[in-house]
Amino acid sequence: RNVERLILQFDFQAQTLCCIQHGSRTSKHDFTEIASYQSEDGLRLIIQFVSQTEFELDADSQDEKNKMIRLLAEIQRKNQGLMGIMEEIEQDENSPSPSPTCTSEITKKGERTSMLETGTIQNGVHFLPLEEEMTNSVQIIKEGLLEKKGHSHAFLLWPKRHVRITEGEMSYFRPEDRENALNILPLTKSITHIKKVGELGIDIKIQGTSKSYSFRVPTNCEKADRDSWFQAIQNAIYAGSRK
């Protein structure tokens, strides 16, 4: 398989995602064209677009991959919020006789739409400002050991993972290395769906992907322990949706 190196450029001023190879831009996508993304343990990251095309990438490091995941999660969250706002505006505009209250509401939503389109991150292609904002506002809701179902050829295995739940985010690590997350899952009401499985399990699915992430409390735990984790994830989704 042919592998080529490229630069993935997140431009929050132009609201575009570009691929640059050998100093030339080879592709360009508006942020609104990003439908979803998928990632697993390791460096692999897949970005999917509304046109059904996708980028399949391997980051240089786990840290760089996690930075890209956080940026993509922010873009996806804003895309979902923008879609919801536009749907509400369209419904209001199609109303046969809008009241003065509805007209005022449309004006407010229009202002908010403009804010979402412009974005609040004005740092070109730099990762650091968004990272600093997230680091400074991190509040750990719950952390501890869970078992995660393996992927691909390791799907029968349930290795232990140190899981950390914060507002709008769930990250998991190898137990011996709690500094470098293996993966980060976004937790927001518009794109994250969770359900209980059996007595000990929790499934997490990200909207726009066919992949689910399965976790369970260790077998020496009880249903109440699973329920505590489930509640913590729900709290993180609620907190993430308010951002």
Side-chain angles (χ1 to χ4, degrees):
R1 172 166 140 179
N2 189 27
V3 177
E4 297 181 344
R5 291 190 62 81
L6 56 83
I7 296 172
L8 195 63
Q9 180 189 63
F10 292 81
D11 189 334
F12 280 86
Q13 291 182 337
Q15 298 282 287
T16 57
L17 176 67
C18 302
C19 281
I20 299 173
Q21 287 182 289
H22 310 298
S24 300
R25 188 173 65 196
T26 58
S27 64
K28 176 182 176 181
H29 295 270
D30 291 338
F31 282 173
T32 53
E33 297 179 55
I34 299 174
S36 61
Y37 65 91
Q38 295 187 49
S39 66
E40 255 296 351
D41 301 11
L43 303 179
R44 180 63 48 87
L45 177 65
I46 301 173
I47 305 173
Q48 298 164 322
F49 300 93
V50 293
S51 61
Q52 306 300 314
T53 58
E54 62 182 32
F55 289 161
E56 186 173 347
L57 310 163
D58 286 327
D60 280 343
S61 67
Q62 196 71 50
D63 183 55
E64 286 300 310
K65 176 196 158 187
N66 291 340
K67 288 176 180 178
M68 287 190 285
I69 286 175
R70 287 192 169 106
L71 290 173
L72 289 166
E74 178 70 7
I75 292 167
Q76 189 176 18
R77 182 180 67 83
K78 289 189 174 182
N79 283 348
Q80 290 291 331
L82 181 58
M83 286 173 59
I85 292 169
M86 295 306 294
E87 287 174 1
E88 289 181 19
I89 292 174
E90 184 177 350
Q91 289 175 2
D92 289 339
E93 288 176 343
N94 292 334
S95 177
S97 55
S99 66
T101 303
C102 290
T103 303
S104 174
E105 190 68 21
I106 290 171
T107 302
K108 290 180 181 177
K109 288 172 183 171
E111 291 171 357
R112 186 179 172 196
T113 300
S114 175
M115 179 190 72
L116 288 172
E117 289 173 342
T118 303
T120 56
I121 303 164
Q122 301 293 331
N123 299 289
V125 300
H126 300 294
F127 289 120
L128 188 56
L130 182 60
E131 284 290 295
E132 287 179 341
E133 177 184 333
M134 290 183 170
T135 301
N136 292 337
S137 62
V138 163
Q139 178 181 350
I140 297 176
I141 296 174
K142 188 176 178 67
E143 67 178 330
L145 280 180
L146 290 177
E147 296 174 352
K148 179 187 174 293
K149 188 175 184 180
H151 60 98
S152 63
H153 60 279
F155 71 96
L156 293 178
L157 302 177
W158 289 81
K160 284 184 170 57
R161 295 290 181 245
H162 183 85
V163 177
R164 182 177 299 149
I165 298 174
T166 59
E167 296 181 357
E169 186 176 290
M170 177 177 180
S171 51
Y172 57 88
F173 311 72
R174 290 187 176 90
E176 66 275 11
D177 179 7
R178 301 183 187 180
E179 297 298 322
N180 300 296
L182 293 170
N183 200 10
I184 298 172
L185 307 181
L187 299 178
T188 60
K189 187 176 180 180
S190 59
I191 63 174
T192 311
H193 306 280
I194 62 172
K195 67 176 183 179
K196 297 177 182 179
V197 179
E199 295 290 311
L200 303 179
I202 298 172
D203 272 5
I204 301 174
K205 191 174 188 306
I206 309 301
Q207 184 172 311
T209 72
S210 58
K211 179 167 183 54
S212 63
Y213 301 84
S214 299
F215 295 86
R216 69 186 184 191
V217 296
T219 52
N220 62 339
C221 295
E222 300 179 353
K223 180 175 177 291
D225 298 308
R226 188 278 309 274
D227 291 345
S228 175
W229 277 100
F230 189 86
Q231 184 61 56
I233 296 172
Q234 284 188 318
N235 292 344
I237 289 175
Y238 175 74
S241 301
R242 292 183 301 169
K243 289 184 177 181

